[in-house]
Amino acid sequence: PPPLVEDVSFILKQSQNLHAELLLRRLGLVEGGGSIEDGVAIIEKMLAEVGVPRAGWDFSDGSGMSIYNRVTPRTVARLLRWTSQKPWAQAFRDTLPIGGVDGTLRRRFAGTALEGRIFAKTGTLTAVNGLSGFMLTKSGKMLIFSAFANDRPSEAGSAIAAMDAALVEISE
């Protein structure tokens, strides 16, 4: 497999579900046979270290595509805060799509105060949109955020536009 940072960057910037599934299995090889269950066990240990309560998440696969996957915005925010305190924090942030620049955010935030200043992962499934990551405010402060829109109306753009507008407002 490619070096881990390259694989993670490809997964996060392109929202590549197959590679995410394979990464979970790759993780499962650390202390097991490479199964989904082995990978989830590693994630469970990490999230316990982060201080995330077990009720804050549930994973059935690595891609995030299963209807049985669950995660709360608070869980994501705690995980992002934890990553920001690690020696590899900047390397991790560099793997995220950049608003108005690349990946799944290349068309979002272009021409706004967050162009080039928001580093976040999108999440989209039927009736669900999410965006979680870091944003650099106009005042220079780095904020962590996690925004989800569940059971949204069929016009998905309205939820995305509302989340983006709220984040731009916060950044200014």
Side-chain angles (χ1 to χ4, degrees), residues 60-61 63-70 125:
S60 294
D61 65 16
S63 69
M65 298 297 290
S66 170
I67 62 169
Y68 301 108
N69 289 327
R70 300 283 187 269
L125 290 175

Side-chain angles (χ1 to χ4, degrees), residues 5 8 15 19 61 112 153:
V5 71
V8 170
S15 201
H19 285 243
D61 65 16
T112 73

